[in-house]
Amino acid sequence: MPLFKIAAEQWLAGKSATSARLTGETYGYFVRSFIQQFGDRLVSDIDHRDIAELQRKRPAESKSDRAVNLEVSTLRQILRDSWVVGSDWRACEALA
């Protein structure tokens, strides 16, 4: 199982090649933030509690629900691409 940092960088490289410039920049911003938070952990060690904590923390940093949902969606895409049998990150719901 790869470190999250490696999985996120690989995911971003694939997305950057197929996305519009601004979309790629947004993904890059999210990935840099995720790497700061989860970079040295194995992908398999990230679960729904980590995502729920991210969802709780971001509005306190003046992020809108829409921005948090975009960020969480990006994180879920990275985790899905590196999916581990038995992971429970799919249990997270979008913010209202």
Side-chain angles (χ1 to χ4, degrees):
M1 185 55 43
L3 289 176
F4 179 82
K5 177 181 179 176
I6 294 168
E9 289 171 346
Q10 289 174 345
W11 178 87
L12 181 59
K15 281 293 188 180
S16 294
T18 60
S19 299
R21 183 188 57 79
L22 187 57
T23 301
E25 289 174 10
T26 302
Y27 286 147
Y29 173 78
F30 291 154
V31 166
R32 285 189 300 276
S33 172
F34 298 148
I35 288 173
Q36 287 179 347
Q37 190 163 1
F38 305 118
D40 293 332
R41 294 172 60 185
L42 294 174
V43 170
S44 59
D45 291 341
I46 299 169
D47 64 18
H48 70 282
R49 291 175 296 247
D50 296 307
I51 297 173
E53 178 63 25
L54 181 75
Q55 287 176 308
R56 277 192 296 275
K57 189 169 80 170
R58 291 301 196 240
E61 298 170 356
S62 300
K63 303 275 183 174
S64 69
D65 286 350
R66 180 178 182 273
V68 174
N69 287 339
L70 286 170
E71 189 174 27
V72 168
S73 173
T74 301
L75 178 58
R76 289 180 62 157
Q77 289 178 55
I78 295 166
L79 295 173
R80 184 180 56 235
D81 282 3
S82 303
W83 189 69
V84 179
V85 174
S87 350
D88 55 0
W89 55 264
R90 295 172 188 247
C92 292
E93 299 293 327
L95 298 178

